[in-house]
Every structure is written in C-alpha cells, then in structure tokens.
Amino acid sequence: MSCSVDNPTLQALYPLSSTLNIIRTLNPSLSPLPNVTSFGSAGSLYAQLFYEGEEQFYCKSDSCDQDSNNWSCQDLECICRPNTTFCGGVPATNLTGAINTLTGTLNIDCGDVDNSTQQATCSFKQATIDSLFGSSGLVLNGCSFGECLRQSVLDSNGTTSTASSTSSQASLSGGVIAGLAVVGGLLLTAAVFLLLGYFSQRRARKSGYNQFGSGNVTVEWSNISYIVQNVQNSTRTLWRKRKSSSEYNDDKVILDSISGRVLPGQMMAILGPSGAGKTTLVEILAGKHKSGSVLGQVSFPSVSQSSPRIGFVPQQDVLPSTLTVHEALLFAARLRLPENIPDPEKHARVDAILQKLGIEGLKNVRIGDNTNGRARGISGGEMRRVSIGLELIASPDILILDEPTSGLDSVSAARVANVLHAIAHDSSSPTAVIASIHQPSSQLYQTFDTILVLSHGRSLYLGPGSFAPVDRLTRTGLTQPYQQGYNVADYLLEVASDPPLALLQSPKHAIPASGSDQVELSNNMSMEKVEDENSTSIDFRVNNRSKVAIRGSAMLGFGKSKYATTFLTQLEYLSGREWKILRRDKTLFFTHVAVAAVLGVFCGGLYFNIDTTIAGFQSRVGCLFFLGALIAFSSLSALYNIVEIRPLFLRERSAFYYSPTAWLLSRFFFDVVPLRIVPTIIVSTITYWMAGLAPDAAHFFKFLFILVLYTLALTLFNFLLGTLFRNGGIAILLSALTALYQMTYAGFFVHLNSIPPVLRWLQWLCPLKYCLEALSVNEVGSGLMIQDSLQGVPVDVSASLIMNLLFGFGQNNYYRDVLVLFAFIAGFGLSVIGVVWFKVRERLEGLPYKFQTLLTSSCVVPELHKTKHRYTGQKPDV
C-alpha cells in the first residue's frame, strides 16, 4: 500500500512530497524476492516514509492482525535514518527523538476504495501520533493497494492459502463494563432490599398486636440530681488529679435530690422561677439526652410490661407547616401505631383525637408557620393542641409537657389546660400528666391536682394543689404571710424566687399526696422504694469509672424493633409527605427550573458557537469550568434545606416515627432529584448545544453523566455539613470556602503541575478537578482538532495535546475520574448516614420506646462530695 501524507502541519515544516509505503507479509514463501519485496515472517508489517524520494524512517511489527481494511499491530518499533531531512539533516526540525519513541500498538484503518480512482483514505494511528494529530491519527490520502506474488503462483491459477487473520470481535471497553457492573449491582441490591421490605411489610401487617394505651401507670422519681461540670475542671481532670479530697470544685448542681410521685388520673404542675430546674426535670423524666450527669431513680410500680410509653411535648411547636392538621396527625398515626392496624382505624383514631382536643373544625386547615413572616396558619394555642395530639396518637401511659401554656393568652392557655385535665381524668384510661408551668393564672393553677415547687434546684413543696402549699409554707414562719385574694401561683413563685436559706436547708415534713399515700419530702430523705415484681425502675448512679450506669429493664417496642412500622412503610409515608410538600410549594421547584434555564441561556450565550482555535479551546474548557462552579455554589441551597428541616427531624426521630435511613432516602427522591439533578440537566443541556460542544449523542450523555455525578457528590457534601453543624452559618461558610478551594485546584486557573509539591497533593481531594478533567477529556475525545496559525505557520493538531499542555489533564482519565466521583459520592453518602445515625439525635439509641436512660459519654461525672450547690453552698444530698 502506498499513500500520500498531506497533513497541513507537516507540510508547513516539510513542503515537498511525503509518501508512506506499507508492506504486510502474509506468506513469505509466495514472495518473489524475500527481504526485497517482503520483510519478516508471516503476519509482520514494514512501513517506510519517503520525503522527496528519500527514506526518512521505517517502522516494523512482527505481529499484525487484519479485519477487513483495518490492521492492528503489536510491539511497534520505529527507527530514524540518520542525517535525513526528518532525522537530523535540518537541526531545527530534528524529529529523531520523537520518531524513535513511537512504540506500542499501531492501527491502520482504511475506508472503502473509490471505484473511479481505485484509491482510499486511511489513518495511521499510534498513541503519540494521536496526541499530536487527534483521534484520527495521521491521515493518509490517495492510498493505492497491490499484491506482490511469484509468477508461478499466478500461472498455476490456484487459490492462495494465506495466513488468515483473527477477526477481532467488537467488544466493550473495560471502563464501560465496570460502569455497567456497578449500575447493575446497585439495581440488583435495590431490588433485593425492596423485595425483602415487601415481605417484611406483609408479615407485619398480618401479625397480631397487643392492646396498649390503657394508662393506669404511676411514675415515681427519687433523689434525681443533675450536675453540669465546669469546662475548666473537665480539662484539668484529664491530666492531673486533685491535690486534696476536701477541695470543692465549681461544678453546678442544677437539680439536687428531687423526689416525687404522680398517680394515674392526676395532673402535676411543676412551678418555679426561671432557672429553677423545671425544664431539666421534665426532660429527665421524659428520657431526653442531657450533656451533664444524671443521678437518681425513676420507677413505674404499676407497670406489668417492660416499660411504659411516655409522651413528651416540648416547649416549642415543631410542626410540618405545609400539611393540614388532619394530615399531620394521620402521618403520626400511620408511623407510630402498629403496622397491622388497618388504615381506616387510624383515620378513626385521628378523628377522635381531633374531637378530644376541640380542633375538629381545623381538620383541613394548613398548619402554617407564624414565624419569620411566613404563611400564617393556625394560632399558637391551636398549634399547642396539635403538638399534644401528636403524642396522644401513640396512646401514652404518661404525658409530660414543657411549659404547654408559654406564649399563649389566658383563653388559649385555659383551653390547653382543659384538654390536659380531660386526658388525665379520662375514666377509661386515666393518665398521669406532668407539666412545667412558668407563670400560670389563678384559673390555670386550680386545674392541677398536685404541685411541685422548685427553687434553685431544690424542692420547696410537693403535695396537693389549691391552698395547701400556702398553708404549708406559712406554717413554717419563714415566709411572708399570704394575702387573701392573691394568686396562689404568684405567691409561690415569689417565695421560690428568693427563699430563706433556712427553708432550703431544713427538712420538710410529710405531706399527704393522695388519700392514704404518704410521700416523704426531705432533701435528706429519698422516696420509699416500691418492692413489686411488676415494678420497672431505672437507676442513675456513678460507677467506678465515673460514668452513669443503668439499672433495670428498659426495653419496649412493637416486636423486636423500636419502630412501630417496617422500613418500607416508613419510606412510603415519608415519600408521600415530601410529594405533598413539593406539590403544594410549587414556587420552590419552578424557581429552580427557571433559574437553571436563565443561567443556561446566559452561559450558552457567553460561549456561543466556540471555534476550534487555541483560544477557542480554552473557552471550551472555561465553559465546562463555569458549569462546575455553578453547581458547586448552587448546591448551597441543599444545605439550607437540611438546616431548616432539622428541628422537625429531631422531634420525629426522638418519638421513633422512622429510621434515619428512610428519612435520607425520602430526601434523596424528593429533594436531590427534582431540586438538584433536574436543574443541572436543564442548564447543562441548554449550554451544551448553544456553545457548540461535541455534536453527537454519545458524548452529550457522557457529559450529562459527569455533571449529575458531580451534583450528587456536592449535594451529599452539603448534606454532611448541614447535619454535622447545628449552626447553619458555620456550615454555609465552610461550604463556600470549599467551593473556592475546588475552583483553585480544578486546574483551570493554575496548571496542576506548577503547584508547589507541598500543596499539590490537595488536588486529589478536589471533586471539581475530576469533574473538569472528565468533561474536557470527553470533549477532546470526540476527535476535536485545533486549527489555528501561529506566526503564519498553520497548526492542525489534536486538542488533547493542547489540553495536556495548558491544563495537565490526562487523555485517558475519563473512566478513572468517573470512579473517583463515585468514590466521593459513596464517601459523602456513608458519612451523612453515619452522622445522622449517631450525631443528629435527641435521645440515646438502643433504649426503650418513648423512654431512654441518660448516658454521658463526653464529660466526667464529678465526685459528689466535692460538689457545691450553686445557691446554698452545700453538698448535694445524694
């Protein structure tokens, strides 16, 4: 085969005629003159380049296969002829070093022969040549073909038995196979989990369940103390012991030996000024996680099961603002009631709760959010009753509330109190109700059956309500006399705000609690233990390692799981709620779509129809970089959404509505897909075709694939920041700084190889670097050629050469970058799951349904005999 070499760049350097002759030996025994008309053994190839009739260099290979008009040769070797035009004859254009390094695999691809000229166009492809002249290699024009045989072979008119070449089957590349394997594995895993979830759901719905919610549970607590360690002391104890055992420390005793009891059908009000310890006490009784050290005992002497259900209503109403009142309660019923209760029964229970709370008229009214000027919904008092209803759905045995009337007017507060009174005194299911009250009105105060008055962490009074506290305190002679007609609650708060030291230090007398039951009320005496085989108690005490130990049985749930429903049911109802929110708040989705379309048109217009010059290629990479940077900054909205929804997730998780994994999956389906991936596809598609990037479907979809992977990686990274930091400002700052870091190390502003070694390693931690490199490699892989002129010399070279020179990107790094982006997605995804499971929570894991013992893992419990009370200066009586 003889071809003419007409490459413009070569012709600019060597303007005379260049010809390439290629000889392939099929059978040496049929050659007229071996080593003259043919070279080497069967299957070998010999190529010679002539410039103006003089051989410049030759290449040879001993192993070549042929498939139609295409040849593939291994172990290529090229050698320059010394002192020729190409190889040293003209020092300024000496190609000896480049030609002698042409090794590896040689491919010669030829098109069909033109019948009129009996010639064809071929491509001479090798890795180094492809990097210089593009993926098409060195184009050979006017190729003519011939066959050289002995005359005897022709005269015999026989058929020539040639060495048949093995036809290479079209096969997928390793990267494509790996990608298909990963996608197939993920789909198979998802299908297996979906199938297992389906069978688990069916089994749960067919199984029976025990009746619950009968109430009739007494709660007692004895010698409850809560100590917060001083930060300086905590640091000091890590490296040295105290010098003297009699030395007191500065740790704060928030609660000191608080005891009490509430019977079924009783309402207890915990009164006290700000800072008295009301919220701390109710949170301890409700099983909330505390950062300090909790000591004492909580018991449920009338419980025949392992542990009661305790409903806790926090001070702040954290509700889904987009749902209606009925939808919010039904969502709680579907996830907190057992799986096998039919849905119509859950609807009926929701209607009954609405009627009990007196809000059946608000059934189809959206809850709304009255803060920050948002859409107004129901009132504050109505929100409080909805919050109570969310706990009543699960039929709690004990109901605990933290300041349920705070921020409400007197009418709304009275309505809430009447609801609580009806719950406590329900004849069919009497319930113990405990509520901390900040400053109740006289009418609200009279609603409660028993009163606990706290002052500076100590108990001033525990017993019947009404005027009994006044009589008890005035008999001591230590307080101001009570004036008739004065609000009893206000009088008790005045005494508790500045109590005489003698009142705190002197022992209390026994006060009747209910009927014949007597409770010893003394800072120096603990409540009498109930020795009952049905009693459930949890003991908080200091063990040898100065951490809180657990005593007693504390496991309760439906079946073996702490969740009332299966994972698939949780995902189903979470997805349904997210879909309702997305459907009702259309502005969020359409804003993302509209902004993406506008940015796509802007970016496409900025880089409209980029040419193929060197400057144009730099603009192409700039367009790709702009898209990556745009995604990096737009993903900040994902962080804001996580910070915004975090309080609702914490409340629902603390009540064991669903597992964190189900919540994360629902967020993925209804946040990541519509609000992250869809806008990315829109802005990328508009920009791609307006900018005139690689005009074929294969490279377009590979382009979209990379941007979707990068979007997923950045979204999960912002999810991680949003879950890792409670302060949204810190998370947003870190996300913005990370985006700037990625822009620096992406390879567009600074060549990666020119970065000092001490900082160069940071490029391997930059997702945008892999994204931009994969996008650039995909673009030049379409056969993009740079056609330009430098000082009058025409340049016609492959864009991959310019890409490597300007940005340091590797030509064969596309699939490597895809795998690295997958690794970032997996790493960030697993980190988000881990942080949500182990950090974003209100309660400790592995303990009872609606009740958990408090553990302290980060601070050391102080030695009690060295701890001063914050008000009296005495040691705590525990």
Side-chain angles (χ1 to χ4, degrees), residues 653-771:
R653 186 190 178 182
S654 67
F656 296 101
Y657 280 59
Y658 44 75
S659 73
T661 307
W663 178 74
L664 287 173
L665 277 179
S666 68
R667 296 299 300 168
F668 176 83
F669 292 138
F670 293 94
D671 181 274
V672 176
V673 174
L675 302 182
R676 318 293 162 210
I677 295 180
V678 171
T680 296
I681 293 175
I682 292 175
V683 67
S684 303
T685 301
I686 295 175
T687 301
Y688 189 90
W689 298 109
M690 288 185 66
L693 302 180
D696 61 280
H699 288 88
F700 169 68
F701 285 110
K702 289 170 71 175
F703 163 85
L704 279 185
F705 180 60
I706 291 296
L707 287 179
V708 168
L709 289 182
Y710 182 64
T711 300
L712 287 176
L714 266 292
T715 301
L716 289 174
F717 174 72
N718 281 285
F719 276 9
L720 178 61
L721 291 179
T723 55
L724 197 58
F725 297 97
R726 297 193 179 197
N727 190 323
I730 295 177
I732 292 174
L733 175 62
L734 290 178
S735 181
L737 292 177
T738 303
L740 292 176
Y741 150 74
Q742 291 191 77
M743 294 171 64
T744 302
Y745 280 90
F748 182 75
F749 290 133
V750 58
H751 196 286
L752 297 177
N753 295 331
S754 65
I755 301 176
V758 69
L759 297 176
R760 191 181 305 164
W761 62 273
L762 290 172
Q763 66 176 296
W764 308 117
L765 304 177
C766 178
L768 184 55
K769 182 258 185 187
Y770 299 100
C771 173

Side-chain angles (χ1 to χ4, degrees), residues 515-842:
S516 60
D517 293 326
Q518 298 291 323
V519 181
E520 290 295 329
L521 300 172
S522 172
N523 282 330
N524 300 318
M525 300 177 64
S526 63
M527 180 176 293
E528 180 182 358
K529 294 184 179 180
V530 179
E531 300 296 338
D532 188 345
E533 61 181 5
N534 292 328
S535 175
T536 299
S537 66
I538 298 179
D539 182 24
F540 310 94
R541 69 181 186 86
V542 179
N543 63 14
N544 293 333
R545 291 176 294 180
S546 295
K547 291 186 179 180
V548 177
I550 307 174
R551 289 288 180 90
S553 173
M555 296 300 298
L556 175 65
F558 300 103
K560 296 182 180 180
S561 174
K562 58 188 174 183
Y563 302 108
T565 55
T566 59
F567 179 85
L568 194 60
T569 301
Q570 297 169 20
L571 182 60
E572 175 186 349
Y573 291 124
L574 278 168
S575 299
R577 184 174 70 174
E578 293 295 335
W579 170 246
K580 285 181 181 178
I581 294 174
L582 188 64
R583 188 180 58 188
R584 290 174 180 176
D585 191 7
K586 298 183 180 67
T587 56
L588 185 63
F589 174 72
F590 286 115
T591 299
H592 277 79
V593 170
V595 170
V598 171
L599 289 175
V601 173
F602 171 78
C603 185
L606 192 65
Y607 297 100
F608 186 73
N609 281 341
I610 308 172
D611 56 30
T612 57
T613 62
I614 295 177
F617 177 74
Q618 190 168 6
S619 296
R620 285 174 185 265
V621 179
C623 176
L624 302 177
F625 173 81
F626 181 87
L627 289 175
L630 178 63
I631 292 173
F633 282 104
S634 62
S635 62
L636 282 169
S637 62
L639 188 154
Y640 172 76
N641 287 345
I642 288 293
V643 172
E644 186 181 42
I645 203 173
R646 182 187 180 115
L648 180 62
F649 168 73
L650 288 175
R651 182 186 65 78
E652 293 178 341
R653 186 190 178 182
S654 67
F656 296 101
Y657 280 59
Y658 44 75
S659 73
T661 307
W663 178 74
L664 287 173
L665 277 179
S666 68
R667 296 299 300 168
F668 176 83
F669 292 138
F670 293 94
D671 181 274
V672 176
V673 174
L675 302 182
R676 318 293 162 210
I677 295 180
V678 171
T680 296
I681 293 175
I682 292 175
V683 67
S684 303
T685 301
I686 295 175
T687 301
Y688 189 90
W689 298 109
M690 288 185 66
L693 302 180
D696 61 280
H699 288 88
F700 169 68
F701 285 110
K702 289 170 71 175
F703 163 85
L704 279 185
F705 180 60
I706 291 296
L707 287 179
V708 168
L709 289 182
Y710 182 64
T711 300
L712 287 176
L714 266 292
T715 301
L716 289 174
F717 174 72
N718 281 285
F719 276 9
L720 178 61
L721 291 179
T723 55
L724 197 58
F725 297 97
R726 297 193 179 197
N727 190 323
I730 295 177
I732 292 174
L733 175 62
L734 290 178
S735 181
L737 292 177
T738 303
L740 292 176
Y741 150 74
Q742 291 191 77
M743 294 171 64
T744 302
Y745 280 90
F748 182 75
F749 290 133
V750 58
H751 196 286
L752 297 177
N753 295 331
S754 65
I755 301 176
V758 69
L759 297 176
R760 191 181 305 164
W761 62 273
L762 290 172
Q763 66 176 296
W764 308 117
L765 304 177
C766 178
L768 184 55
K769 182 258 185 187
Y770 299 100
C771 173
L772 183 59
E773 182 178 51
L775 293 175
S776 301
V777 170
N778 177 65
E779 181 65 18
V780 302
S782 63
L784 181 65
M785 298 293 295
I786 300 299
Q787 298 173 342
D788 205 344
S789 61
L790 297 176
Q791 297 181 351
V793 177
V795 176
D796 189 3
V797 297
S798 170
S800 62
L801 176 64
I802 304 299
M803 177 185 70
N804 184 266
L805 291 175
L806 292 181
F807 307 107
F809 296 153
Q811 182 181 358
N812 301 316
N813 288 348
Y814 179 85
Y815 289 107
R816 184 207 70 174
D817 296 336
V818 169
L819 293 177
V820 172
L821 287 176
F822 266 116
F824 275 114
I825 292 172
F828 291 145
L830 292 176
S831 299
V832 169
I833 293 174
V835 169
V836 171
W837 266 100
F838 298 107
K839 188 177 186 299
V840 186
R841 56 182 180 177
E842 278 192 337

Side-chain angles (χ1 to χ4, degrees), residues 5 47 81 215 229 272 274 291 312 440 581 703 707 781 859 865:
V5 182
R81 297 292 187 184
Q229 189 174 14
S274 299
S291 60
F312 178 74
I581 294 174
F703 163 85
L707 287 179
C859 67
H865 68 281

Side-chain angles (χ1 to χ4, degrees), residues 277-473:
K278 303 187 301 297
T279 297
T280 301
L281 179 58
V282 296
E283 288 179 347
I284 290 174
L285 295 179
K288 303 281 282 184
H289 175 57
K290 307 296 291 182
S291 60
S293 306
V294 182
L295 302 98
Q297 185 183 60
V298 179
S299 60
F300 310 95
S302 58
V303 176
S304 58
Q305 54 188 349
S306 56
S307 185
R309 282 172 299 276
I310 300 180
F312 178 74
V313 180
Q315 183 176 350
Q316 300 296 328
D317 296 311
V318 183
L319 302 170
S321 59
T322 312
L323 300 185
T324 65
V325 172
H326 182 269
E327 289 170 344
L329 292 174
L330 182 61
F331 177 81
R334 284 171 167 171
L335 291 180
R336 301 189 68 184
L337 295 178
E339 183 92 35
N340 45 20
I341 295 180
D343 205 55
E345 290 188 24
K346 296 178 180 179
H347 278 269
R349 179 160 182 79
V350 169
D351 292 337
I353 294 294
L354 288 172
Q355 185 175 5
K356 178 182 287 189
L357 296 174
I359 52 176
E360 62 272 18
L362 304 174
K363 179 178 180 179
N364 298 317
V365 178
R366 291 190 190 179
I367 294 174
D369 190 349
N370 298 333
T371 62
N372 301 326
R374 296 184 179 181
R376 184 171 179 83
I378 60 179
S379 66
E382 292 163 345
M383 283 189 178
R384 185 55 49 87
R385 281 183 277 174
V386 172
S387 297
I388 296 173
L390 293 176
E391 295 301 321
L392 295 181
I393 281 292
S395 298
D397 300 306
I398 301 167
L399 183 62
I400 300 176
L401 306 96
D402 182 18
E403 300 195 14
T405 60
S406 177
L408 303 182
D409 58 77
S410 59
V411 176
S412 299
R415 288 175 179 173
V416 171
N418 292 333
V419 168
L420 297 178
H421 189 273
I423 294 171
H425 296 84
D426 188 346
S427 58
S428 61
S429 178
T431 304
V433 176
I434 304 173
S436 64
I437 304 294
H438 181 61
Q439 194 170 4
S441 64
S442 180
Q443 180 184 4
L444 180 61
Y445 170 81
Q446 297 297 335
T447 308
F448 292 91
D449 304 305
T450 60
I451 303 296
L452 171 61
V453 181
L454 297 180
S455 176
H456 302 286
R458 289 198 172 188
S459 174
L460 288 185
Y461 173 83
L462 171 61
S466 189
F467 289 96
V470 175
D471 296 338
R472 170 67 184 89
L473 293 174

